[in-house]
Amino acid sequence: MNGEGKKLLRVEVGYALPAEQALLALEVEDGTTIGQAIERSGIAIRFPEIGVVPARVGVFGKRARLDTPVRDGDRIEIYRPLMADPKEVRRAKAKRRRAKMSPR
């Protein structure tokens, strides 16, 4: 509990790049949203590419909205944009496999 009698929740905010990752632990008041927790973590100062409002976030691997209230123990994850469309990657792999298997 804080000085005002509100319950404090422990959460983590995480972000990862191919060569670097950060997982910041913080305590927030009950009723804090995911967006507010991200802002309070200060992670956007360390990784400015996140921006003020990250485009995609989740909790333990499941997509979530910034206005979702956090729960005690949540791991908030900030997702980077995909570098390649997963469907296109699968199509290209399938095409290469077919090319290897076809007789010449």
Side-chain angles (χ1 to χ4, degrees):
M1 299 260 179
N2 68 5
E4 299 171 8
K6 287 195 173 186
K7 182 179 177 184
L8 291 177
L9 309 175
R10 297 179 63 91
V11 298
E12 297 176 321
V13 177
Y15 181 70
L17 295 170
E20 181 181 7
Q21 67 181 13
L23 188 61
L24 309 174
L26 63 148
E27 289 185 338
V28 296
E29 292 179 348
D30 193 15
T32 299
T33 65
I34 289 175
Q36 291 167 332
I38 291 170
E39 183 180 331
R40 290 181 190 157
S41 75
I43 201 161
I45 294 169
R46 183 168 172 188
F47 300 98
E49 67 273 12
I50 293 172
V52 177
V53 180
R56 301 179 90 187
V57 298
V59 176
F60 290 114
K62 294 190 177 196
R63 287 282 308 267
R65 294 169 38 124
L66 291 171
D67 60 356
T68 303
V70 298
R71 297 189 313 214
D72 194 39
D74 277 354
R75 184 185 66 226
I76 301 164
E77 301 159 345
I78 302 168
Y79 304 127
R80 293 179 289 126
L82 296 175
M83 299 303 288
D85 179 2
K87 287 182 182 178
E88 291 301 320
V89 171
R90 285 192 298 271
R91 284 186 190 119
K93 283 183 182 178
K95 187 176 182 179
R96 285 193 300 270
R97 275 194 302 262
R98 283 193 305 271
K100 281 184 178 180
M101 296 173 72
S102 65
R104 294 188 181 183

